[in-house]
Amino acid sequence: MTIDNSPNIDFRALPKIELHAHLSGSISRQCLHEVWLKKKQEMEAANEVMDLQDPLVEMPEGKHDYDLNTFFPLFSKYIYRLVDTRWALTHTTLSVLRDFASDGVIYLELRTTPRALPQAGLSKADYVQTILDAITQFEFEQQQKQQTSMKTNLILSIDRRNTLPQAEEVLALAKQFHNKGVVGLDLCGDPARADIAHLAPVFQRAKKEVPGLGITLHFAEAESSGSDQELDMLLSWGPPDRLGHVIHLSEGIKEKIARRGGMGLELCLSCNVKAGMIRGGGSFEDHHFGEWYKVPNCKVTLGTDDVGVFGSPLSNEYALVASHFGLNRAEICALSRQGIDVIFGGEDEKERLRRLMWAE
């Protein structure tokens, strides 16, 4: 669902902060098609058979109704297999950055689970470095064009399916690349994977081993990951600076979050509604943004999650809350500025954003 601009505000021109965006899920279908064409041509030249469908067939334009059962296999069985070379990783990262910048984002924290690409000879460290190199290239392009700069930092994700050694490897990479573009650690992955207690030591050590590293967690994303036992455990990890989704939680957990004060909440309207993640499969009006937005002790930020899958850029997320929750221009500007306080990019960047973001 796309909402037209309000006569009082241009949502695309509005300077915005994006804190919940997955790299692989933010790749446009056209960009994936470009990768597919190149891969197909290379395989045909080598007399090999391409066994992946064109992304424009696999993910037809207009299809955005992926739920938690179809969403995760889209990556493991398709997108990860397509983006499996250094060129593809660089090309898709640059495309994602250009898309966010053209939508008016001026600060971006992009997250990704480090992947080794054996066929391309890339280790997990090479994977992270390749993305950071693409970010540097993009920022140079902006400088050459004298455009308003979009600052991008990287968050490394630990998947709920990871073993403890795999999670420790991600923390080691965060330590290796901290102050080189990596600013945070994330917990993500299929919420149906219930047993995650073994990952606790990594998150509990993270801030001690890497001072200044931010922690954000996918939190109560589904009923299967919304028990008080799990959520109390997650609130002890680090503790976290930000929480993503925060959908299926009890009143007691809500009170604990509110009492902490200043915690960032990354809310993703289109993802939650289109994937049927809201309680009872609700509409935009039923989204918990309306509840959390009114809690004075929390910093609510809007995120796209996976704009390549759900098709709603950040400008449209702001248009959605204006339309469905009645926010006026001043309230939209105030909402966009809430994210400044919970970015992982440091005080200098916060000052830059305070100068650039609209106050009214």
Side-chain angles (χ1 to χ4, degrees):
M1 181 177 183
T2 300
I3 305 293
D4 292 334
N5 281 342
S6 159
N8 296 320
I9 191 165
D10 182 338
F11 293 105
R12 193 174 184 192
L14 174 73
K16 296 177 287 295
I17 294 171
E18 168 65 88
L19 300 181
H20 194 113
H22 297 268
L23 172 58
S24 296
S26 299
I27 307 168
S28 72
R29 296 166 197 215
Q30 178 58 38
C31 179
L32 288 172
H33 174 69
E34 294 163 5
V35 174
W36 180 84
L37 280 177
K38 181 176 174 64
K39 190 179 187 72
K40 183 172 182 286
Q41 292 166 357
E42 291 174 346
M43 293 186 74
E44 288 175 348
N47 293 318
E48 298 176 358
V49 178
M50 180 66 157
D51 62 348
L52 293 173
Q53 282 198 107
D54 186 334
L56 300 181
V57 175
E58 183 74 22
M59 304 168 62
E61 290 293 337
K63 178 176 173 54
H64 304 298
D65 58 343
Y66 295 90
D67 60 21
L68 292 179
N69 293 321
T70 58
F71 175 80
F72 291 101
L74 180 65
F75 293 89
S76 59
K77 296 181 179 179
Y78 188 77
I79 294 176
Y80 292 163
R81 292 181 60 202
L82 192 59
V83 183
D84 64 351
T85 66
R86 188 187 298 273
W87 177 85
L89 182 58
T90 299
H91 183 71
T92 54
T93 301
L94 287 170
S95 175
V96 166
L97 296 174
R98 290 166 185 149
D99 287 347
F100 275 113
S102 69
D103 192 47
V105 174
I106 61 171
Y107 180 81
L108 169 65
E109 287 180 4
L110 204 56
R111 61 185 71 187
T112 188
T113 304
R115 293 189 293 130
L117 306 178
Q119 187 175 344
L122 297 183
S123 65
K124 291 181 181 180
D126 295 329
Y127 174 91
V128 174
Q129 186 63 64
T130 299
I131 295 170
L132 293 174
D133 289 345
I135 292 171
T136 299
Q137 179 180 338
F138 173 75
E139 291 180 346
F140 178 75
E141 288 178 5
Q142 287 186 302
Q143 292 171 3
Q144 293 296 102
K145 296 176 182 177
Q146 297 183 331
Q147 296 175 333
T148 299
S149 176
M150 178 180 78
K151 176 63 179 175
T152 302
N153 284 313
L154 196 61
I155 295 172
L156 300 186
S157 297
I158 293 173
D159 193 292
R160 292 172 68 101
R161 298 170 298 176
N162 284 165
T163 63
L164 179 57
Q166 288 171 329
E168 289 175 333
E169 187 177 4
V170 177
L171 176 57
L173 290 170
K175 187 174 184 178
Q176 177 181 345
F177 291 101
H178 191 231
N179 296 325
K180 299 176 183 177
V182 170
V183 295
L185 199 64
D186 169 43
L187 174 72
C188 71
D190 189 345
R193 173 60 190 263
D195 183 13
I196 57 170
H198 64 287
L199 301 174
V202 174
F203 285 92
Q204 290 166 343
R205 285 168 27 214
K207 290 189 176 184
K208 297 176 183 177
E209 295 189 8
V210 192
L213 188 73
I215 293 180
T216 178
L217 306 173
H218 283 63
F219 190 88
E221 189 175 8
E223 289 187 22
S224 58
S225 60
S227 69
D228 280 7
Q229 180 181 4
E230 172 170 321
L231 302 183
D232 273 324
M233 175 180 64
L234 292 180
L235 288 174
S236 72
W237 286 11
D241 304 287
R242 301 197 312 247
L243 303 174
H245 296 294
V246 290
I247 304 171
H248 298 275
L249 60 167
S250 67
E251 291 301 320
I253 297 296
K254 290 178 185 177
E255 291 174 5
K256 290 179 181 181
I257 292 172
R259 286 200 302 268
R260 289 202 171 194
M263 181 169 283
L265 303 181
E266 307 156 358
L267 305 187
C268 308
L269 277 79
S270 291
C271 161
N272 297 163
V273 172
K274 292 180 180 181
M277 297 162 65
I278 303 300
R279 293 181 187 273
S283 64
F284 283 104
E285 287 83 359
D286 298 320
H287 194 275
H288 49 290
F289 169 84
E291 176 182 354
W292 284 113
Y293 174 65
K294 299 173 184 177
V295 178
N297 293 334
C298 296
K299 301 292 183 179
V300 171
T301 69
L302 299 183
T304 54
D305 201 5
D306 298 277
V307 64
V309 178
F310 297 109
S312 179
L314 192 56
S315 57
N316 192 55
E317 296 299 289
Y318 276 91
L320 286 168
V321 297
S323 173
H324 293 290
F325 297 96
L327 273 65
N328 60 32
R329 180 189 175 95
E331 290 168 331
I332 286 290
C333 291
L335 173 64
S336 70
R337 293 177 65 90
Q338 281 196 37
I340 295 175
D341 293 331
V342 291
I343 69 167
F344 296 158
E347 294 303 318
D348 289 346
E349 182 59 25
K350 289 179 182 180
E351 285 303 316
R352 184 185 79 97
L353 294 173
R354 290 187 181 105
R355 292 193 302 269
L356 291 176
M357 300 190 74
W358 296 352
E360 57 183 23

